Amino acid sequence: MTDSSLTTRQKVERSMRHRRARELRFRAYGLASVLFGLLCLLMVFGDILSKGLTAFQQTVLSTEIYLDQDYLGISRKSDDQELFNADYEGLIKSQFRERLGVENRGERRQLNALLSAGAGWQLRDVIADNPELLGSTITVAVLLDDEVDQWFKHYRHAGQTGKLSERQLQWLQQWQDEGRLSTQFNRLFFTNGDSREPELAGIRGAITGTFLTLLVTLLLSFPIGVAAAIYLEEFAPKNKLTEFVEININNLAAVPSIIFGLLGLSIFIGVFGVTRSTPLVGGLVLTLMTLPTIIISGRAAIKSVPPSIREAAYGLGASKMQVVFHHVLPLALPGMLTGTIIGMAQALGETAPLLMIGMVAFVVDIPGFINDPSTVLPVQIFLWADSPERAFMERTSGAIIVLLGFLITMNTLAVILRRRLERRW
């Protein structure tokens, strides 16, 4: 049937069928895109969780240790310094050698390699808390080396040996048959700082550094960003200068973050001499990076306040300052807080600008203030991801889980604040 033989009604109906078919195809494409994105997201989260959840477990050996005062050279009346300097690691290793009858130097080396370098510190803390235990036999969950930890959690079920020798596997199998090998919650992952030994490495130093860095960022960026938004939206004259400033603020929001790191390196460290690798300089750099986001969201929140609020205040005789700070600002504050939290969440995940100012350094100690050397959680993840040991890869995924938890919490808080505080007009 040709178009000329069709009636007007038939042409309209055919056109409508084609239009509805195109609409259905468009909806199908959109739904497929959303489902594909969710599938990719689930795959990423699933991969991270499967590799990182085991980082929250640590393999230990339950064993009895005789606290020999003669070997340690201390007594119940020894001072803290003497208790601290005793050879606890040697005590544990000597008792292990005696029980297993190990005399060969090569086997001694293999046996010692099964124990973590932190096993002695573990026993030291027990005695420091209760010196009365000296001279008695106690049961301790001794921390084992990261190779043993990986074998027990991943390799043994598949019949793999990892990097362990046949003799080491015999000892481990013996302990496993006796029911002395087990996993427990990895408390050290949350209480220790970084370490060269994977089984002793933790994220406390990185979390503390992250908190101090974000605290500096919040204390600087929020008041400066809110003040800039209020001035540009309410008080700044509309001329070419303010237009130039507004354009550059919008452009800064799209600048690669590493540029802010270069700026911080040249200005804060090179000119003002701020100490490298501290939360102070990290907070200053992240402040520069988050200010455009806070200013843009703050201006949007001010614009969303109905003009009738301002007109009513002016009608009652209020001045410009009173209108802005007594009426407009309280109503725009929820939107400003939401933008600030989103900007802080963005700063929480940044790595590149902090690498430029030296926060990639290996820092063991927990920072106590904003001028102490420290690192942050994203940089800690970067450092561990570059380590060859499999145990560090496991801890990398565990730290990513913690970082994602913080990011999800901050974004959820932003949504809750938005819904709780905003007013609908």
Side-chain angles (χ1 to χ4, degrees):
M1 183 180 294
T2 61
D3 291 343
S4 58
S5 62
L6 293 176
T7 63
T8 303
R9 180 183 181 85
Q10 290 174 328
K11 291 180 180 179
V12 171
E13 289 178 350
R14 188 173 68 171
S15 174
M16 291 298 295
R17 284 196 302 269
H18 291 167
R19 190 179 303 175
R20 284 193 291 266
R22 287 195 296 269
E23 182 180 351
L24 289 175
R25 285 196 299 270
F26 180 78
R27 289 183 179 181
Y29 295 152
L31 181 60
S33 300
V34 172
L35 293 177
F36 180 75
L38 289 176
L39 178 61
C40 293
L41 185 63
L42 289 175
M43 291 176 61
V44 171
F45 275 98
D47 183 63
I48 293 173
L49 290 175
S50 64
K51 295 179 179 178
L53 288 178
T54 52
F56 304 127
Q57 297 290 322
Q58 180 65 42
T59 304
V60 295
L61 171 64
S62 180
T63 186
E64 292 183 346
I65 300 293
Y66 172 62
L67 304 179
D68 191 345
Q69 301 182 65
D70 296 332
Y71 183 94
L72 295 173
I74 56 177
S75 65
R76 299 176 182 178
K77 296 182 180 179
S78 299
D79 57 29
D80 293 340
Q81 189 64 32
E82 292 175 335
L83 293 175
F84 185 84
N85 293 328
D87 186 12
Y88 300 104
E89 185 177 357
L91 175 66
I92 296 175
K93 291 180 178 179
S94 65
Q95 295 193 18
F96 268 75
R97 290 195 298 267
E98 292 176 4
R99 292 173 189 172
L100 296 174
V102 175
E103 297 181 358
N104 181 277
R105 178 176 296 180
E107 289 192 344
R108 289 173 59 180
R109 190 181 301 111
Q110 293 183 60
L111 178 60
N112 293 341
L114 295 178
L115 302 176
S116 170
W121 306 336
Q122 188 181 1
L123 190 60
R124 179 199 65 193
D125 294 339
V126 172
I127 296 178
D129 292 338
N130 192 359
E132 299 299 323
L133 294 175
L134 286 170
S136 63
T137 301
I138 62 173
T139 301
V140 182
V142 177
L143 195 64
L144 298 179
D145 185 71
D146 63 286
E147 292 296 337
V148 179
D149 180 57
Q150 294 299 301
W151 172 82
F152 189 75
K153 290 190 295 189
H154 303 290
Y155 297 149
R156 64 187 177 100
H157 299 296
Q160 300 176 4
T161 62
K163 296 182 179 181
L164 301 173
S165 67
E166 291 296 328
R167 191 70 178 108
Q168 289 175 323
L169 289 172
Q170 291 176 6
W171 289 323
L172 291 173
Q173 192 62 50
Q174 176 185 339
W175 293 335
Q176 183 180 351
D177 295 339
E178 295 171 354
R180 296 162 60 189
L181 280 179
S182 61
T183 57
Q184 65 180 17
F185 179 70
N186 191 4
R187 179 178 54 85
L188 299 179
F189 186 70
F190 295 95
T191 58
N192 279 9
D194 197 9
S195 174
R196 299 295 185 189
E197 302 295 331
E199 73 274 8
L200 300 177
I203 59 175
R204 182 184 173 189
I207 288 179
T208 304
T210 300
F211 172 77
L212 293 174
T213 302
L214 290 182
L215 180 63
V216 173
T217 304
L218 177 63
L219 293 179
L220 292 175
S221 62
F222 182 70
I224 295 175
V226 170
I230 293 174
Y231 175 77
L232 290 174
E233 195 63 33
E234 298 290 341
F235 297 100
K238 304 302 179 183
N239 53 33
K240 291 185 178 180
L241 177 61
T242 55
E243 183 180 351
F244 175 77
V245 171
E246 292 173 0
I247 292 174
N248 279 276
I249 289 175
N250 293 327
N251 289 336
L252 283 174
V255 169
S257 59
I258 196 170
I259 302 300
F260 294 100
L262 292 171
L263 180 64
L265 179 64
S266 60
I267 301 299
F268 299 131
I269 296 177
V271 177
F272 295 103
V274 181
T275 307
R276 296 171 63 96
S277 188
T278 61
L280 176 59
V281 68
L284 290 171
V285 170
L286 293 180
T287 295
L288 297 178
M289 194 190 71
T290 56
L291 271 176
T293 302
I294 297 177
I295 293 173
I296 292 171
S297 62
R299 296 188 64 187
I302 293 174
K303 287 180 180 179
S304 66
V305 177
S308 58
I309 301 294
R310 297 177 176 82
E311 295 170 359
Y314 284 130
L316 293 174
S319 64
K320 179 71 172 180
M321 293 286 289
Q322 290 174 327
V323 170
V324 173
F325 289 98
H326 293 178
H327 300 279
V328 176
L329 182 59
L331 297 177
L333 195 58
M336 293 180 174
L337 289 175
T338 302
T340 301
I341 295 175
I342 293 175
M344 296 297 291
Q346 178 188 4
L348 175 61
E350 284 297 335
T351 304
L354 301 181
L355 296 180
M356 299 303 302
I357 57 173
M359 295 193 80
V360 71
F362 176 74
V363 179
V364 178
D365 298 328
I366 310 299
F369 196 56
I370 60 174
N371 58 348
D372 292 337
S374 66
T375 186
V376 292
L377 201 52
V379 176
Q380 187 69 75
I381 293 171
F382 170 80
L383 289 172
W384 283 350
D386 198 41
S387 299
E389 292 91 341
R390 177 181 170 86
F392 271 127
M393 294 301 297
E394 182 182 70
R395 277 151 180 77
T396 298
S397 298
I400 291 174
I401 292 174
V402 175
L403 179 62
L404 287 175
F406 284 140
L407 290 173
I408 293 173
T409 301
M410 293 181 70
N411 283 280
T412 303
L413 180 61
V415 173
I416 293 174
L417 280 176
R418 184 80 177 184
R419 291 185 176 180
R420 288 285 184 90
L421 301 178
E422 74 174 350
R423 297 187 182 184
R424 299 186 182 276
W425 310 101

